[in-house]
Amino acid sequence: MNPLGLKPRTWKALWVALRRSRRDPKARTILARSLLSLLLFAVWLVWNFFEFRGLSFQMGRFGVVLCSFVAVELFVLLAWPPLSHWLDQRALERKSPAMIPELKLALYREACLLATLLERMASEYRMEKEIPANIEVITRRVLLDRLKSLGLREELEPWVLDLLLAPDGHWTAEQKNRALPALECLAVLR
């Protein structure tokens, strides 16, 4: 829908190529081509700006009005299709949502709980390493406060609450290993 081709995936590809360009020759080629295309587009825009500007100086006030009308018309022609599509999609989503709000809320709740458990598991794994004496681990407290602020702490299953209330560094190896496959579930819920 975007007439300029500057879609989000274009910017993402440019960003990935930029990050990989130091060690990947193919990424350097992609980066060079993308930057050259953007440079040519910018030069084209500047050229047209000065052409219209020169035309408006030669034609006086009428030229300024004419150039302004043409610029507004071009903007509307370029911006209206994506804007119209976006507005139509929003109206359709309001009329007939793809997912009922209760289901969205339930999925969000599950994703938050799962993310909290995985964050706690990561903390437990990090605590297996030697921690300097001047560092206090407060993962448990922070996660419980976050769940309370989201209003999710009261609805927790007893076994989840037991896991989260256990002191930092007291998860068993079995509990840690059982939590590892949940990483895939979180990716799906996201």
Side-chain angles (χ1 to χ4, degrees):
M1 291 298 297
N2 192 338
L4 300 177
L6 301 177
K7 298 179 181 177
R9 66 176 181 217
T10 305
W11 293 111
K12 185 177 180 182
L14 183 64
W15 177 247
V16 168
L18 179 66
R19 287 191 328 219
R20 292 182 179 174
S21 64
R22 281 186 289 168
R23 58 185 182 281
D24 186 5
K26 189 174 180 180
R28 280 192 292 273
T29 305
I30 292 170
L31 180 65
R33 286 180 179 170
S34 300
L35 291 177
L36 180 63
S37 297
L38 287 174
L39 179 69
L40 289 174
F41 180 68
V43 167
W44 179 79
L45 282 179
V46 169
W47 173 266
N48 283 319
F49 171 75
F50 282 110
E51 283 294 316
F52 277 123
R53 188 169 168 242
L55 178 66
S56 69
F57 285 147
Q58 289 176 356
M59 296 179 68
R61 187 170 288 193
F62 176 74
V64 172
V65 171
L66 179 68
C67 288
S68 300
F69 180 72
V70 169
V72 168
E73 189 176 282
L74 282 175
F75 177 75
V76 168
L77 285 174
L78 292 176
W80 180 249
L83 182 63
S84 172
H85 178 70
W86 180 71
L87 290 172
D88 290 344
Q89 290 295 333
R90 282 190 63 196
L92 182 64
E93 183 65 28
R94 274 194 221 118
K95 247 192 262 180
S96 173
M99 189 182 303
I100 59 173
E102 293 82 19
L103 183 58
K104 280 184 182 181
L105 190 59
L107 285 174
Y108 174 73
R109 178 186 177 279
E110 291 300 317
C112 285
L113 291 174
L114 189 57
T116 302
L117 281 174
L118 289 173
E119 193 172 347
R120 178 65 190 269
M121 180 196 65
S123 173
E124 294 291 324
Y125 272 114
R126 282 192 299 261
M127 290 187 68
E128 289 178 356
K129 298 179 181 175
E130 190 173 319
I131 298 175
N134 61 346
I135 293 180
E136 179 185 357
V137 179
I138 59 168
T139 306
R140 175 178 155 238
R141 187 176 339 139
V142 169
L143 293 177
L144 288 172
D145 288 344
R146 185 183 309 152
L147 286 176
K148 187 176 182 179
S149 70
L150 293 172
L152 297 174
R153 186 172 174 183
E154 293 78 25
E155 304 170 5
L156 289 177
E157 301 279 334
W159 64 273
V160 176
L161 192 57
D162 289 342
L163 277 176
L164 291 175
L165 288 175
D168 287 316
H170 283 76
W171 276 23
T172 64
E174 179 190 348
Q175 289 170 327
K176 293 176 197 173
N177 289 335
R178 285 182 58 200
L180 274 176
L183 287 168
E184 291 179 23
C185 296
L186 183 65
V188 169
L189 285 174
R190 285 184 65 199

